Amino acid sequence: MSDAIKHECGLAFIRLRKPLQHYHQKYGTAFYGINKLFLLMEKQHNRGQDGAGVAAIKLDPKPGENYIDRQRSTDKQAISRIFGGIHKGYQSAVDKDATIVGDVDRQKSEVPFLGEVLLGHLRYATYGAGGLENCHPRRRLSNWITRNLVLAGNFNMTNVDELFALLVSIGQHPKEHSDTMTVLEKIGHYLDVENDRLRQIHTQLGYTDAQITNLIGEKLDVREILRMSALDFDGGYAFAGLIGHGDAFVLRDPAGIRPCFWYADDEFVVAASERPAIQTAFGVKTDAVQELRPGHALIVRKNGSFTEEQVREPVEKRSCSFERIYFSRGSDRDVYRERIALGRNVVPAIMEAVDHDLQNTVFSFIPNTAEVACYGMLKGLEDELNKTKERLILDLGPAPAPGKLREILGMRPRLEKVAIKDAKLRTFITADVARDELVAHVYDITYGSVRPGQDNLVVIDDSIVRGTTLRQSILKMLDRLEPKRIVVVSSAPQIRFPDCYGIDMAKLGDLVAFQAAIALLRETKRENIIDDVYERCLANIGKPLSPLPGDPQGNGAPSPWVDNVVQDIYAPFTAEQISAKITELLTPEGTNAEVRIVYQSIDGLRAACPQHTGDWYFTGNYPTPGGNRMVNRAFINWKEGKNVRAY
């Protein structure tokens, strides 16, 4: 993606199922789990570069000893800084008394973070401030060991206002208005309720207070705590929680919007946002890693046992397709295959855009994240070229001249490394004209890769969101190569609708597809559609959320629920008409080459990613009711000239 888009965070959870002495004896260090957590986070650094955090819980601490450790950082090298600090703590203990090296019990008691339950998080600040206090993990502390809660995750709630009001209604006074705090406090509330329930029962049975604390730790109904907490959650989420005495959980939303995977053996229970991170860190095969089922929680008890239990009724699975196009690491087996298919599936549109002239067309990709889609495109082009070769060879007759045959067999798509990104632009110049001049040179080009005035130049991008970099930098740069035609290909369909589940696309007016649709409505004298959509968005304010948006009776009556009425902005136009207008909007003044912008079709996306049907960015079919409310708010904000987020 040539535009800089921040997105959902990364989660890493490890539960050691053996005593620390086991890892010291087998692997040579009691820090084996911490080292694995470091690797698990490093292999997901693509998911968060605004900050990171780590928490650890030590099982069976003695009263008076610290058993919950947490460290967070917003440093540019946050992971290294955090884990460097953790190991400095160990080295300080060694420097103080070298005999601690062989004494694992003393290490656990005296060295911070040397626990059995570990939680890591990588953050992209998609909403709110990016300061240290906003980094996960977040804590809810108590002197009662079974009431402590540590939480981190990859999530965004669309109904924070309702969740906040619910906390107030039960008597709480939350210190901030954020989805992280409301989720933490809601789970914390039902953790308190469960503690109180068990304490009351066992008090009546005559147990002492000390005995009751131990019994609560054994009998906490973690599934029920999560079930009650998550009843009102509307959003995409995959988060993990640690309870002070040692129970832990990882919970995923009912539509499976946000990704989560887990693996377990007799030494570990592990969960992460990315499957290949688990594979690399623990050396396991693809099929050994399980996907956490939507609406389910992986619950790990203090005794090391674990279960995957349903917490909320799963709905139609709508896993995020943008994960497959861009966000997830391409080293995942299935993601790699899907990106190959995305590139292959857009080939028919590319062939039309270059008038089927492969001989005079150069192919490339921008940026590096589009490289795998480029391979898929190349495979599709080879298939097209093989058809041409077959026809030409048959035309040669039964006794072809060897030279002519070699010439035909030597035909192949012309793939070149056309663009190179030198460095991330530092915005130390604030004047717009000067900054735009610098932006135009973020990428450099390979001179001589295109025959001036003769070749078409096709570059594939994984997606086009705002088009700012395309207009300010890439098209100007490519035009310097003097191709006769520039074709920019998006392996994703047109991004028409904002996101509210953790990806930083919250403003409708920023999306170039929306800008194009509005421009077409005005050009064709259909501004009344804009006004009508605005009025219906206003009418939706105050309507209740519903899992069944629309008119279930089909009788044409106004819907009692919140609908996505913004879809009607696009209804009068074909995808090709909108693409043509996007091309017009993004082509810089003075461009000599003809420019065309080609998008993946919705059918092509679904064929490439059949298991990830969360395509609301492209279709407006949101997986939760809160998405419909958000997009209506986004339209109202745009119409009223408010440059604010819709959630």
Side-chain angles (χ1 to χ4, degrees):
M1 183 189 299
S2 51
D3 287 324
I5 296 292
K6 294 181 179 180
H7 55 93
E8 68 265 28
C9 304
L11 177 68
F13 164 79
I14 297 177
R15 170 61 156 88
L16 305 180
R17 301 184 70 199
K18 302 283 189 181
L20 293 179
Q21 185 68 40
H22 166 84
Y23 305 95
H24 182 266
Q25 292 176 346
K26 184 173 180 179
Y27 301 108
T29 175
F31 273 83
Y32 187 74
I34 286 287
N35 294 340
K36 289 294 185 183
L37 186 68
F38 169 78
L39 187 56
L40 204 59
M41 293 176 68
E42 273 292 337
K43 291 303 177 180
Q44 298 182 97
H45 71 271
N46 56 298
R47 305 186 73 86
Q49 296 165 17
D50 289 337
V54 169
I57 287 182
K58 302 179 180 184
L59 300 181
D60 301 314
K62 296 177 181 178
E65 289 186 351
N66 178 58
Y67 59 94
I68 300 179
D69 293 297
R70 181 186 64 168
Q71 183 65 46
R72 299 173 296 172
S73 174
T74 56
D75 190 82
K76 292 179 181 179
Q77 302 295 328
I79 301 174
S80 296
R81 179 172 288 275
I82 289 170
F83 283 90
I86 290 173
H87 283 280
K88 281 183 180 178
Y90 170 73
Q91 190 59 48
S92 295
V94 172
D95 292 343
K96 185 177 180 181
D97 182 356
T99 62
I100 199 174
V101 172
D103 192 336
V104 175
D105 290 338
R106 279 187 60 201
Q107 289 181 34
K108 179 178 175 179
S109 175
E110 299 177 22
V111 177
F113 290 94
L114 199 55
E116 295 90 345
V117 195
L118 309 171
L119 180 59
H121 185 261
L122 299 120
R123 183 172 192 257
Y124 256 127
T126 59
Y127 179 65
L132 187 66
E133 187 56 32
N134 290 286
C135 284
H136 296 188
R138 300 293 295 270
R139 299 182 298 183
R140 191 176 192 263
L141 299 180
S142 170
N143 271 349
W144 302 95
I145 192 169
T146 55
R147 293 178 187 256
N148 286 283
L149 178 64
V150 181
L151 188 76
N154 168 17
F155 63 92
N156 213 75
M157 299 299 174
T158 70
N159 62 335
V160 175
D161 292 342
E162 288 90 342
L163 294 174
F164 185 88
L166 180 60
L167 293 176
V168 173
S169 71
I170 61 177
Q172 289 195 16
H173 193 96
K175 66 178 184 178
E176 63 184 74
H177 195 286
S178 69
D179 54 0
T180 301
M181 182 54 65
T182 52
V183 169
L184 177 68
E185 290 298 334
K186 197 156 188 281
I187 297 174
H189 169 73
Y190 286 105
L191 177 61
D192 286 343
V193 169
E194 176 68 359
N195 268 267
D196 292 341
R197 183 185 71 85
L198 291 172
R199 181 165 294 278
Q200 183 178 13
I201 290 172
H202 290 92
T203 297
Q204 294 174 353
L205 294 175
Y207 289 94
T208 67
D209 287 342
Q211 290 173 324
I212 289 173
T213 295
N214 292 329
L215 287 168
I216 290 174
E218 295 173 6
K219 297 187 177 183
L220 272 180
D221 190 340
V222 177
R223 177 189 175 277
E224 182 63 12
I225 293 169
L226 296 175
R227 188 188 72 81
M228 294 300 297
S229 303
L231 281 175
D232 306 292
F233 291 168
D234 186 294
Y237 50 88
F239 54 75
L242 316 181
I243 303 175
H245 68 290
D247 283 356
F249 60 84
V250 185
L251 177 63
R252 192 180 185 198
D253 65 82
I257 297 170
R258 296 274 69 91
C260 190
F261 299 87
W262 65 277
Y263 164 77
D265 59 22
D266 61 347
E267 291 186 311
F268 308 99
V269 180
V270 188
S273 298
E274 300 262 8
R275 179 170 62 181
I278 297 176
Q279 291 181 247
T280 300
F282 292 90
V284 296
K285 295 182 179 179
T286 300
D287 293 338
V289 182
Q290 308 294 316
E291 181 179 2
L292 184 58
R293 287 179 287 175
H296 285 65
L298 176 65
I299 298 173
V300 187
R301 301 309 305 263
K302 177 181 177 292
N303 62 12
S305 64
F306 63 91
T307 54
E308 187 181 25
E309 301 185 35
Q310 181 177 311
V311 171
R312 289 188 62 183
E313 184 71 30
V315 297
E316 178 188 358
K317 191 177 181 185
R318 300 292 305 282
S319 298
C320 174
S321 58
F322 228 90
E323 281 279 349
R324 322 306 285 181
I325 296 166
Y326 174 70
F327 292 137
S328 290
R329 292 173 73 88
S331 56
D332 183 273
R333 178 193 66 187
D334 295 339
V335 171
Y336 183 83
R337 292 173 180 174
E338 289 161 11
R339 291 181 184 172
I340 290 287
L342 286 166
R344 186 189 288 272
N345 291 352
V346 81
V347 164
I350 295 172
M351 295 297 291
E352 291 291 328
V354 299
D355 301 323
H356 295 264
D357 183 9
L358 294 182
Q359 186 175 357
N360 296 301
T361 301
V362 172
F363 298 91
S364 192
F365 58 90
I366 301 175
N368 289 342
T369 51
E371 185 175 6
V372 177
C374 182
Y375 293 154
M377 175 183 69
L378 189 64
K379 293 175 187 292
L381 292 169
E382 289 171 346
D383 292 342
E384 292 293 328
L385 192 55
N386 284 339
K387 296 176 185 177
T388 301
K389 289 181 181 180
E390 181 180 7
R391 175 176 54 79
L392 293 175
I393 290 172
L394 290 175
D395 289 345
L396 292 177
K404 190 65 175 177
L405 185 59
R406 281 194 297 271
E407 180 182 339
I408 295 171
L409 292 174
M411 294 169 62
R412 58 181 55 86
R414 296 169 56 198
L415 181 68
E416 302 285 355
K417 180 73 172 178
V418 168
I420 304 164
K421 191 170 185 179
D422 280 340
K424 184 176 181 181
L425 180 70
R426 303 297 181 188
T427 55
F428 53 87
I429 296 178
T430 58
D432 289 341
V433 174
R435 186 171 62 248
D436 288 349
E437 171 67 15
L438 286 179
V439 170
H441 294 86
V442 170
Y443 288 89
D444 202 358
I445 50 175
T446 305
Y447 292 97
S449 57
V450 173
R451 294 175 297 185
Q454 181 177 349
D455 286 335
N456 302 309
L457 175 57
V458 175
V459 292
I460 189 168
D461 195 346
D462 37 54
S463 56
I464 301 170
V465 184
R466 303 180 183 114
T468 306
T469 306
L470 198 60
R471 180 177 59 249
Q472 294 182 351
S473 174
I474 293 174
L475 286 172
K476 292 178 181 179
M477 171 196 70
L478 297 178
D479 195 49
R480 297 204 303 269
L481 291 172
E482 300 181 61
K484 66 178 181 180
R485 181 181 298 165
I486 299 171
V487 180
V488 179
V489 182
S490 171
S491 71
Q494 296 165 1
I495 297 173
R496 300 181 170 192
F497 300 92
D499 181 69
C500 56
Y501 304 115
I503 296 172
D504 191 18
M505 289 190 279
K507 298 176 184 177
L508 190 56
D510 287 348
L511 307 179
V512 69
F514 177 77
Q515 297 168 19
I518 293 297
L520 287 172
L521 287 172
R522 289 171 173 163
E523 288 176 8
T524 57
K525 310 300 183 184
R526 285 185 266 194
E527 292 96 335
N528 62 297
I529 292 178
I530 300 174
D531 295 333
D532 176 67
V533 169
Y534 176 61
E535 292 298 326
R536 286 190 288 145
C537 285
L538 291 174
N540 266 321
I541 294 176
K543 285 186 177 181
L545 300 179
S546 168
L548 296 172
D551 178 17
Q553 287 77 35
N555 57 17
S559 169
W561 316 112
V562 177
D563 294 324
N564 177 6
V565 300
V566 182
Q567 289 171 308
D568 288 351
I569 290 293
Y570 299 94
F573 310 111
T574 65
E576 290 73 21
Q577 288 174 307
I578 293 175
S579 292
K581 177 54 66 173
I582 291 172
T583 301
E584 181 183 327
L585 293 176
L586 295 185
T587 300
E589 185 178 352
T591 303
N592 294 313
E594 177 191 357
V595 176
R596 297 185 184 181
I597 297 180
V598 173
Y599 284 88
Q600 180 77 257
S601 68
I602 297 296
D603 288 342
L605 169 69
R606 290 172 176 170
C609 309
Q611 303 304 315
H612 290 76
T613 59
D615 57 10
W616 57 90
Y617 315 92
F618 319 112
T619 64
N621 298 325
Y622 288 90
T624 77
N628 290 337
R629 181 170 65 182
M630 178 278 305
V631 72
N632 292 337
R633 285 178 177 172
F635 188 85
I636 292 171
N637 290 341
W638 169 81
K639 186 70 167 60
E640 296 179 353
K642 298 176 181 176
N643 187 30
V644 296
R645 305 175 68 91
Y647 65 91

